[in-house]
Amino acid sequence: MTTMERDDDVNDNNNGGAQSHAQKFASAIAGRRGAELATLASLDCAAKNIEKRQNHHHHRGGETMVLVEENEVRECTRRGWLPKPFDEVWEKLMLSALELKRNQFEKCYDYHNEALACFIKDFKGREEPEDVVWTIETMKRMTRDSRLCAEKADKHSRKVGKKATRLETCGAQLMQAYRCSSQTSTREKKLAQLKIVNELFKIYFELNALHLCKNLINAVNLPTFLPFEESFPSSEKVTYHFYVGRLAVFDDDYEGASEHLKYAFERCPRGSSNNKTACLKYLVPVMLNLGFVPSKKLFTKYKEALKPYEEVCESVKTGKLGVLEQALERRKARFVREGTYLVFEKLRLYCLRTLFKRTSEIQKELEPEKGNQVKLEMLSKACKIAAATKNQRHASNTTNNTNYSNAINNTDFDLDEVECGVSELIHRNLVKGYVSHKNRVVVLSKIDAFPKISDVV
């Protein structure tokens, strides 16, 4: 039986083969059924159809099985079932799916890139709303698949020692798609804008080209961009705010980061636990830097997601410097990978502030008449005790006391270092007062010496 002869098993079930897929593709185009076309244009759908045909022919085709499918793809295009330029789009998509099945990820991306280029060219030429609106979902699906293909291709290239260039190429291609959807007077074309922006965000974050994200944010804020809240699906708006929030974290704009990440977190669907966890990875360090510690209720609800931050939050509340250092050291690789390590490092100053506040409260009890004066020597001893905590935290009961004493003696917090830390707190308005270097005393304001961090920041 030739490759194009009728196969009753496959055609009767209407569930496999290049021919069946091509006919469905053509039908969706003729009927302008956008959602159906988007599904058929996905690489997953194409691969599943080919997978079924491969399983069906397994006992016949042997090692030539994939080659037969490739010939069938090209034959379907030659038959003229699909209108131009969708015949070329479909062919490149199917060939991309074949290369995916062969684990030839670079070729998979290259074919898909050709398919997307052809689709973008056609999309650009459409002006009438009724000609555009049914192609929007396909544009969104293909830009997403293009990025995923490029990521797989680059990962494979690095694995075999080759230069990884596909993701960068994909970024350039998606910028062309964005221009087609934005530089137009046809409103319907602009419905694809935010999805493409989000895909570009993901590419730029992966390539560590964060400076390019600023241009996208500026574009979204232009008056020519569609009204944000009214025009786009919730999922796209959540993704956009998540990445803008992450970018604000890297810029040390914690108020902006808090605003965007809260938007993303609060509007994630209840069942999207992974997405909520992703938001918390950045929202927790941001809120800590703004002076807010996650509530017990939040820790209970997202126990697994917040587990890495328990010790950090405890140290900020209690002033246990050692606990903070231990937590940062233990989670360093993770925090560096997520881009939050430097944000957590800044909490050392807040931790010192908490310790300073507790020390001043003890001073008030010991000498009420000098309650607003704290000796640097007293604070130095407090710092040594707090820093030593990390050395005894996981020690056995039999060695706790010995280790703790040794830790205090070995922890270096001399008067100059403590004075420097206190001066930084005063400079940042986290503490009101001044340091008397001559007397080695910190003189605190009698009114609100430790203002709320949230008010200061």
Side-chain angles (χ1 to χ4, degrees):
M1 183 178 72
T2 63
T3 56
M4 292 306 298
E5 286 177 345
R6 174 179 169 85
D7 188 314
D8 292 328
D9 291 339
V10 172
N11 286 305
D12 288 346
N13 290 327
N14 195 31
N15 66 351
Q19 180 177 338
S20 174
H21 189 270
Q23 290 169 346
K24 293 174 184 176
F25 208 87
S27 175
I29 294 168
R32 295 192 167 192
R33 298 189 297 275
E36 182 181 342
L37 181 62
T39 300
L40 291 167
S42 72
L43 202 54
D44 286 341
C45 182
K48 285 177 182 177
N49 273 273
I50 286 180
E51 194 170 40
K52 290 176 183 177
R53 291 289 289 181
Q54 286 178 345
N55 290 340
H56 180 84
H57 286 297
H58 183 68
H59 62 285
R60 305 177 191 176
E63 294 181 356
T64 62
M65 173 177 57
V66 172
L67 294 175
V68 169
E69 296 292 349
E70 186 173 332
N71 292 336
E72 185 178 22
V73 169
R74 299 189 187 282
E75 180 63 26
C76 286
T77 308
R78 287 193 290 268
R79 288 286 181 103
W81 293 331
L82 291 150
K84 292 185 179 299
F86 287 100
D87 56 346
E88 185 178 351
V89 173
W90 179 83
E91 179 180 304
K92 299 303 182 183
L93 280 173
M94 295 302 286
L95 293 176
S96 176
L98 283 170
E99 296 302 339
L100 180 64
K101 296 299 295 179
R102 292 169 170 169
N103 292 328
Q104 297 294 322
F105 301 115
E106 290 87 349
K107 288 184 179 180
C108 171
Y109 170 74
D110 292 342
Y111 275 127
H112 195 279
N113 188 45
E114 291 178 32
L116 180 57
C118 186
F119 186 85
I120 291 173
K121 185 178 180 181
D122 175 75
F123 186 82
K124 185 177 181 180
R126 295 175 180 269
E127 293 298 336
E128 296 301 322
E130 61 270 19
D131 292 333
V132 172
V133 68
W134 63 277
T135 64
I136 294 297
E137 289 304 316
T138 304
M139 171 66 88
K140 291 181 179 182
R141 184 66 64 93
M142 290 186 70
T143 52
R144 172 183 174 273
D145 282 355
S146 182
R147 174 185 60 82
L148 293 174
C149 285
E151 287 178 352
K152 281 189 176 182
D154 278 4
K155 184 178 180 181
H156 183 261
S157 294
R158 285 190 290 268
K159 186 177 180 181
V160 298
K162 294 181 181 179
K163 189 175 180 180
T165 60
R166 263 72 176 188
L167 197 58
E168 189 174 343
T169 302
C170 180
Q173 179 82 296
L174 263 58
M175 272 306 302
Q176 291 185 24
Y178 177 75
R179 292 188 189 102
C180 286
S181 67
S182 59
Q183 297 173 357
T184 177
S185 58
T186 306
R187 179 189 179 279
E188 284 70 19
K189 278 190 176 182
K190 296 183 178 184
L191 294 172
Q193 282 181 307
L194 193 58
K195 176 64 175 177
I196 299 172
V197 165
N198 289 338
E199 295 301 327
L200 284 167
F201 273 152
K202 294 173 184 178
I203 290 172
Y204 294 155
F205 269 80
E206 184 67 26
L207 295 175
N208 198 26
L210 301 185
H211 61 286
L212 297 176
C213 295
K214 301 287 180 68
N215 297 331
L216 295 175
I217 296 171
N218 292 336
V220 172
N221 292 330
L222 288 174
T224 54
F225 202 87
L226 289 181
F228 190 87
E229 290 297 335
E230 299 86 358
S231 306
F232 303 102
S234 178
S235 59
E236 293 177 14
K237 291 185 288 187
V238 165
T239 301
Y240 175 80
H241 278 284
F242 172 71
Y243 279 100
V244 175
R246 283 186 63 183
L247 196 65
V249 173
F250 295 134
D251 289 340
D252 293 338
D253 177 13
Y254 297 135
E255 285 191 5
S258 170
E259 179 184 345
H260 290 290
L261 290 170
K262 278 183 178 178
Y263 181 105
F265 179 75
E266 291 170 358
R267 287 167 176 78
C268 273
R270 289 185 178 181
S272 302
S273 57
N274 289 340
N275 291 340
K276 284 187 174 290
T277 298
C279 292
L280 287 172
K281 286 179 183 178
Y282 301 96
L283 188 55
V284 169
V286 164
M287 296 309 292
L288 286 172
N289 270 276
L290 290 174
F292 299 99
V293 179
S295 64
K296 289 183 178 180
K297 184 179 179 181
L298 194 67
F299 266 108
T300 302
K301 188 173 183 179
Y302 300 99
K303 187 175 181 180
E304 290 302 317
L306 293 177
K307 192 173 182 180
Y309 312 111
E310 284 179 340
E311 290 181 335
V312 175
C313 293
E314 178 193 347
S315 65
V316 172
K317 287 195 296 184
T318 61
K320 295 178 180 178
L321 295 167
V323 173
L324 178 62
E325 294 297 334
Q326 188 180 47
L328 292 180
E329 185 62 31
R330 186 181 301 125
R331 309 281 185 180
K332 184 175 182 178
R334 172 182 176 147
F335 292 157
V336 168
R337 186 172 62 250
E338 294 171 356
T340 56
Y341 183 75
L342 294 178
V343 183
F344 280 118
E345 272 201 321
K346 294 177 182 179
L347 296 176
R348 289 191 177 102
L349 203 59
Y350 292 177
C351 197
L352 177 61
R353 177 187 178 279
T354 303
L355 183 62
F356 188 10
K357 184 178 181 180
R358 296 179 71 183
T359 305
S360 70
E361 290 170 353
I362 294 173
Q363 172 66 21
K364 285 181 182 179
E365 293 179 5
L366 295 176
E367 297 182 78
E369 68 281 1
K370 294 183 179 181
N372 68 323
Q373 299 179 24
V374 181
K375 294 180 180 178
L376 289 175
E377 184 180 359
M378 185 178 186
L379 186 55
S380 174
K381 289 180 179 178
C383 287
K384 288 184 177 182
I385 294 171
T389 307
K390 65 178 180 179
N391 294 296
Q392 61 139 7
R393 188 171 178 80
H394 298 288
S396 63
N397 292 332
T398 56
T399 58
N400 258 354
N401 292 334
T402 303
N403 288 344
Y404 191 52
S405 299
N406 291 336
I408 293 174
N409 293 330
N410 295 329
T411 303
D412 184 22
F413 270 98
D414 58 30
L415 296 184
D416 290 336
E417 186 177 353
V418 172
E419 183 177 341
C420 183
V422 173
S423 298
E424 182 68 14
L425 287 170
I426 295 171
H427 173 70
R428 291 175 179 264
N429 296 320
L430 295 169
V431 172
K432 293 180 181 179
Y434 64 91
V435 179
S436 172
H437 179 73
K438 181 180 179 180
N439 298 319
R440 293 289 191 174
V441 170
V442 183
V443 181
L444 296 171
S445 170
K446 293 183 178 181
I447 302 174
D448 197 21
F450 295 91
K452 287 184 177 180
I453 295 175
S454 55
D455 292 341
V456 175
V457 176

